[in-house]
Amino acid sequence: MRVRKPVATTAAVALVAGTIWSAAPAAAASASNLASAILTPAAAAHLTGSTITTPSDSASAVRTDSVAGFPSRAGGTYAVLSTGDATELTSAGQGFEASTGYSSSATRGGAFDVTTLELTLNVPQGANCLLGVTFRFLSDEFPDFVGGGYNDVFIAEAGATTWSVTGGTINAPDNFAFDSAGRFISVNSGLFDGSSATAEAVGTVFNGATPKLTAQVPLTGGTQQKLFFSILDQGDAELDSAVMIDHLRLGTVDDPADDCRPGATSNPTEILVSAAAPTQVDVSGTAGDTYTVPASEGITYSVGGTPVAAGTYPGTGTVVVTAQAQAGYAVSGPSQFTLVFSDIAQVTATEPTWTDTWGTDEDTYTIPSVTGVRYSVDGDVVAPGTYPATGTVTVDAAATTGYDLTGATRFTHTFTDIRQVTAVEPTWTDASGTDEDTYTIPSVTGVQYSVDGEAVAPGTYPATGTVTVDAAATTGYGLTGATRFTHTFTDITHVSALAPTVVDQPGTVLDRVTIPQVTGVAYLVDGVPVAAGTHALTGDVLVTAQAADARHVLVGTSSFPLHLSDADVPGAPVLVAEAGSGSVALSWAEPAGDPTGYELQTSRDGTVWASAGTTTSTRATLDALVDGTPVSFRVRGVNGLGHGAWSAPVTATPVSPPAAPSITRVQPDNRRLHVTVAAPASDGGSPVVRYERTLDGGRTWAAVDGSPFELTGLVNGTTYRVQVRAVTAVGAGAASAVATGTPVAAPVTVPGDDGTPARPRVEPGVVQAWAGGAPAPVTVGVQDGRRTAAGQGFDVTLGGVDARGTQLPVDASGRVVVDPDGFVSVSGGGFAPGEVVDVWLFSTPVLLGSVTVQADGTFAGRLRLPAGVPAGRHTLQINGTRADGTLVSVAAGVLVAAAADEPDELAVTGAPAGSGALLALWLLVAGAGAVLVARRAHRV
């Protein structure tokens, strides 16, 4: 299904897309996946095949997420078939047009975009109905094309797919999904309710849908049945439709003509199911008799009125199993099953044992002991045991009370009185040449031997040429086996070949094969004659022997396959060493030569080597080494041929993490601490590359710039627990002992005229600022009679207040004036919430007080001047942390007015300023936009 986007904002489309992916989108599915999604587990057991025919792989899908009432059973799956893209069932909301045209030409007379799922089922014996298949038809042809001539249709067929389109009319004689008026499932069927169709499709891309529907059709038990589910565009390939399908179940009804009528109805409140019959095992006797209650959807089985779970139970006598429908289900077909178990034990008679030896003296038959079986001979019952036998003996078997005899009941054997004998072949002695050739007639009771028709007694006779010996039975004996024995004596000398000897040295250069000297034997190497003696050969060699001439015959082994290996001692490994703490880990790749083990050596000077052990691995770790002391290593491989060459030496120096350093001094400062560190007693064999500090017990560490280092951004009056550790190439070492320090409030200093840190001195009416220790430009002005200064990310306002609480405006020269018994009013914004802002007055530093920053980053306070502050020029300093963590210091010049009984001329306590300077200052202030830059500040 292709979703055409209507006019909408980009934000709306993005929101829809986000909603789509919050659910699990479906993927195109195979026919077997679709069949598994539609069939119940019981029905799936009878599936023998499935095929899917689509205009595109995306025209079918399997889903598990909950959409429009599917799956119809919790935890289930369902299939989606579409004339468009089935994977986009929920890709957008209603109102988006779904229209994907796959087909450019019609099929079956006038159908486009046809998707058909075919299922082949072996309908079980006794089943006669497709009890139901649940489905919902959805379409974007609603509501605009209801009653039109181009409509999408869903067709379900049993037996064969025969639908066709003729002149705009659909014919489907085998369709079993239709409404009460016989109409196909489309936007025009009576089941597509215009008043509820939109609500039925909520959650999908479609404008309308039928309710959940169920369709039935009769089936024939014991046959193979095909089902076809098709969805198609009639007359065009525009506007898509889809069908959601699941919960197809098979079963039995009493009257298929009445209880399993083809057609579709709104999904019933009770699902029609059939009870599967219990199975029974009625073996001989009762000990192994059982019956098994199946697991059937919607069915509760009971025995004697008591519900029983699916499983296997002991059976005896008559057991009646009753099936009842669970809530929401109705049972069709048999609901009561009677199982009858017999208590007769079956038994099989064992045949007697017949012992028929030569003659008759020892002939016997043995009657076995078999529970439930009685044996008789000539009508007389005989007990188990062994009896003499002669002639023909017939034994009959019969079952005793409580048993049923199976198998043979009569056993017959005829005993013989002839003694059988087997002739032993004469012994032929055919030595080399003819002088010592003989044959020996054995002595065998019941056998008479003859040569050339003349009887011969047992014994040894000279032999030459061909000798034939016949054997016959004497009176009272029967001869079995061979009766004639023939041997032709030769005058050929037999010779045997000796095996070559092999010297297989490592490699191939020294490999040798020695051919022996044997009279009458000729040797060949790989088919080429070779003289006796030692030959340089290697690899796979085949030495063969043959008779040297016609007067000799080779006996015994004539082929000697030899293998002279090119295997050599192992090659030199390539050694890699990795230093550790007091150890070195060695590794190497296995060299050529198939080593079976390795020898290790170490050296302190690269000249004298000592054994460090052996191993069969290609890895080894040598411990108990001294950190910081280099050691050389080498390794060589060993196999059955000897040891190979040593590897090139590799040198490594063991190292350990450094020991803990110590903190020798923590010096408090304003919002900071100065920390001095002493190096660790041991660096573990590797130089210290840096130090790290922690203020939270080691949860977090930060690198510092050597010793001493400075901790900034601290809160005055708060005690901090400081630890440090050293870091080398090996890693971080142990933490030092905890040292504590508490920052204290103090004015901020800036470089003075001689470059040394000093408290800033600012003329009345002048404002300077520093941020992070660097000069910060500020814009100064006057607002509501108070001095203002605004810098990057912060602002402050200050003014004077008399003893009665009345604000004192800046004077005509733009200076802040404070009564000796009055207050200083300070406020600001852009500072860190919770930070404490301290306010100082000097030449002689006096802490006027501290103000806490509020949650919105502002602060405001009114601080009284201490008694005894002399009249004249002073510097007011405001120190606090900006919202980004940077320390900000603002210095402003103020005038402390003379007391009422003092002369009008103010005392000068700050730096002097000439009248020209004051005039320039006033002009600068009056401009209300001057930016003043202070020198770098330091805290003291």
Side-chain angles (χ1 to χ4, degrees):
M1 292 170 284
R2 181 173 66 251
V3 178
R4 297 177 179 173
K5 299 178 182 177
V7 177
T9 65
T10 302
V13 173
L15 181 59
V16 170
T19 303
I20 294 169
W21 289 106
S22 66
S30 65
S32 60
N33 295 146
L34 294 164
S36 297
I38 291 174
L39 298 173
T40 63
H46 304 291
L47 179 72
T48 62
S50 59
T51 59
I52 181 71
T53 304
T54 65
S56 169
D57 287 344
S58 62
S60 64
V62 171
R63 300 181 72 104
T64 59
D65 54 331
S66 180
V67 178
F70 280 77
S72 62
R73 289 295 177 268
T77 58
Y78 58 96
V80 181
L81 308 181
S82 177
T83 62
D85 191 340
T87 65
E88 295 187 353
L89 177 66
T90 56
S91 65
Q94 292 175 312
F96 281 69
E97 183 180 280
S99 180
T100 300
Y102 293 118
S103 305
S104 59
S105 60
T107 60
R108 297 204 192 187
F112 296 82
D113 297 342
V114 180
T115 293
T116 299
L117 174 64
E118 175 185 341
L119 305 179
T120 304
L121 299 169
N122 282 338
V123 182
Q125 289 286 354
N128 59 10
C129 180
L130 189 160
L131 296 177
V133 58
T134 303
F135 67 95
R136 184 193 295 275
F137 176 76
L138 312 96
S139 181
D140 245 13
E141 294 183 329
F142 178 84
D144 295 339
F145 294 92
V146 174
Y150 300 93
N151 291 124
D152 295 354
V153 176
F154 169 63
I155 298 174
E157 298 167 295
T161 175
T162 58
W163 64 263
S164 63
V165 180
T166 304
T169 300
I170 299 176
N171 301 295
D174 294 306
N175 177 43
F176 63 87
F178 48 79
D179 65 8
S180 59
R183 291 173 295 185
F184 299 106
I185 303 302
S186 71
V187 296
N188 297 321
S189 74
L191 296 170
F192 208 102
D193 187 347
S195 62
S196 62
T198 300
E200 297 286 359
V202 167
T204 74
V205 74
F206 294 100
N207 292 334
T210 67
K212 282 202 296 186
L213 304 176
T214 296
Q216 292 181 315
V217 67
L219 302 174
T220 302
T223 66
Q224 190 173 83
Q225 194 88 43
K226 289 184 179 293
L227 300 175
F228 302 87
F229 300 97
S230 301
I231 190 165
L232 56 112
D233 270 345
Q234 174 197 359
D236 63 17
E238 301 298 324
L239 295 179
D240 294 333
S241 297
V243 63
M244 306 162 72
I245 314 175
D246 71 357
H247 204 226
L248 188 153
R249 52 208 181 275
L250 307 177
T252 304
V253 297
D254 294 334
D255 182 5
D258 187 52
D259 300 330
C260 190
R261 296 179 180 177
T265 59
S266 294
N267 210 25
T269 57
E270 289 188 339
I271 302 301
L272 197 62
V273 292
S274 291
T279 58
Q280 71 179 118
V281 177
D282 187 9
V283 297
S284 175
T286 60
D289 291 352
T290 61
Y291 64 94
T292 299
V293 175
S296 292
E297 178 188 1
I299 300 295
T300 297
Y301 291 90
S302 61
V303 176
T306 302
V308 293
T312 300
Y313 301 87
T316 183
T318 299
V319 177
V320 178
V321 181
T322 303
Q324 295 176 314
Q326 298 172 356
Y329 292 86
V331 177
S332 67
S335 61
Q336 190 173 80
F337 308 92
T338 301
L339 311 175
V340 179
F341 296 88
S342 69
D343 59 357
I344 299 299
Q346 293 182 332
V347 66
T348 301
T350 302
E351 182 176 4
T353 302
W354 317 103
T355 304
D356 188 3
T357 61
W358 301 118
T360 60
D361 293 342
E362 298 179 358
D363 290 352
T364 61
Y365 66 94
T366 300
I367 302 297
S369 176
V370 180
T371 301
V373 179
R374 179 178 61 247
Y375 293 90
S376 62
V377 176
D378 298 331
D380 295 325
V381 175
V382 291
T386 301
Y387 299 89
T390 184
T392 298
V393 178
T394 299
V395 179
D396 293 307
T400 60
T401 303
Y403 291 90
D404 184 19
L405 191 63
T406 63
T409 61
R410 172 165 284 193
F411 308 95
T412 299
H413 184 77
T414 299
F415 291 86
T416 66
D417 60 358
I418 298 296
R419 299 190 180 192
Q420 294 181 331
V421 67
T422 301
V424 176
E425 183 177 4
T427 301
W428 317 102
T429 302
D430 189 2
S432 294
T434 60
D435 293 342
E436 298 179 357
D437 292 351
T438 63
Y439 65 94
T440 299
I441 301 298
S443 176
V444 180
T445 300
V447 178
Q448 175 63 57
Y449 292 92
S450 62
V451 176
D452 296 332
E454 298 290 335
V456 291
T460 299
Y461 301 89
T464 185
T466 298
V467 177
T468 299
V469 179
D470 294 307
T474 61
T475 302
Y477 291 88
L479 191 62
T480 63
T483 61
R484 171 165 284 192
F485 307 96
T486 299
H487 183 79
T488 299
F489 290 86
T490 67
D491 62 355
I492 301 299
T493 300
H494 292 177
V495 291
S496 297
L498 297 177
T501 57
V502 175
V503 177
D504 189 3
Q505 295 288 348
T508 61
V509 176
L510 300 178
D511 289 352
R512 297 290 184 271
V513 175
T514 299
I515 304 297
Q517 178 73 51
V518 180
T519 301
V521 178
Y523 289 88
L524 301 90
V525 174
D526 294 333
V528 178
V530 63
T534 300
H535 303 270
L537 301 173
T538 189
D540 291 317
V541 177
L542 178 62
V543 178
T544 56
Q546 62 187 26
D549 51 50
R551 297 185 65 256
H552 294 86
V553 172
L554 187 66
V555 296
T557 303
S558 62
S559 179
F560 305 93
L562 308 177
H563 176 72
L564 290 87
S565 172
D566 60 356
D568 206 343
V569 295
V574 177
L575 184 61
V576 177
E578 183 177 351
S581 176
S583 65
V584 172
L586 304 176
S587 62
W588 57 94
E590 181 179 298
D594 298 323
T596 58
Y598 301 91
E599 297 176 355
L600 301 168
Q601 287 188 343
T602 60
S603 175
R604 303 296 180 182
D605 57 6
T607 301
V608 179
W609 293 88
S611 175
T614 62
T615 181
T616 59
S617 173
T618 56
R619 294 178 178 276
T621 299
L622 302 184
D623 300 314
L625 303 178
V626 178
D627 287 337
T629 300
V631 181
S632 295
F633 304 89
R634 66 182 183 180
V635 63
R636 68 181 178 185
V638 179
N639 62 14
L641 301 176
H643 55 73
W646 289 104
S647 68
V650 174
T651 301
T653 303
V655 289
S656 296
S662 59
I663 298 176
T664 59
R665 182 183 181 189
V666 179
Q667 180 180 352
D669 201 346
N670 186 31
R671 291 181 175 85
R672 70 180 68 190
L673 296 173
H674 301 275
V675 181
T676 303
V677 179
S682 170
D683 61 8
S686 179
V688 175
V689 296
R690 70 175 182 275
Y691 290 95
E692 295 177 343
R693 58 81 174 170
T694 182
L695 298 177
D696 55 12
R699 289 191 298 272
T700 59
W701 293 87
V704 298
D705 295 331
S707 174
F709 64 88
E710 187 177 82
L711 296 174
T712 62
L714 307 181
V715 178
N716 290 333
T718 299
T719 300
Y720 292 88
R721 296 170 57 85
V722 186
Q723 288 178 280
V724 295
R725 66 182 181 186
V727 179
T728 67
V730 179
S736 69
V738 174
T740 60
T742 305
V744 295
V748 173
T749 60
V750 299
D753 295 337
D754 59 357
T756 60
R759 291 185 296 274
R761 294 194 303 168
V762 182
E763 291 295 327
V766 177
V767 179
Q768 294 177 325
W770 295 260
V778 291
T779 300
V780 297
V782 176
Q783 182 177 0
D784 298 331
R786 305 174 69 197
R787 172 63 67 203
T788 63
Q792 183 176 358
F794 69 94
D795 62 83
V796 296
T797 302
L798 60 139
V801 179
D802 64 17
R804 294 182 300 277
T806 302
Q807 178 182 320
L808 301 176
V810 296
D811 64 10
S813 298
R815 299 176 297 181
V816 175
V817 179
V818 185
D819 284 351
D821 57 351
F823 301 86
V824 173
S825 171
V826 294
S827 61
F831 288 80
E835 165 70 8
V836 175
V837 176
D838 51 280
V839 182
W840 295 84
L841 185 71
F842 46 80
S843 297
T844 302
V846 176
L847 178 62
L848 298 184
S850 300
V851 184
T852 301
V853 180
Q854 302 303 307
D856 61 356
T858 64
F859 70 90
R862 180 179 292 178
L863 307 174
R864 181 182 291 277
L865 263 63
V869 174
R873 300 178 182 89
H874 293 269
T875 299
L876 186 71
Q877 188 181 64
I878 302 171
N879 302 321
T881 302
R882 197 167 57 190
D884 62 1
T886 303
L887 176 64
V888 172
S889 178
V890 178
V894 297
L895 281 177
V896 176
D901 54 352
E902 292 181 3
D904 292 338
E905 181 64 27
L906 296 179
V908 177
T909 60
S915 58
L918 290 176
L919 178 59
L921 174 63
W922 171 240
L923 292 175
L924 184 61
V925 172
V931 177
L932 305 179
V933 179
R935 290 168 292 178
R936 180 175 300 275
H938 296 272
R939 299 181 191 177
V940 295

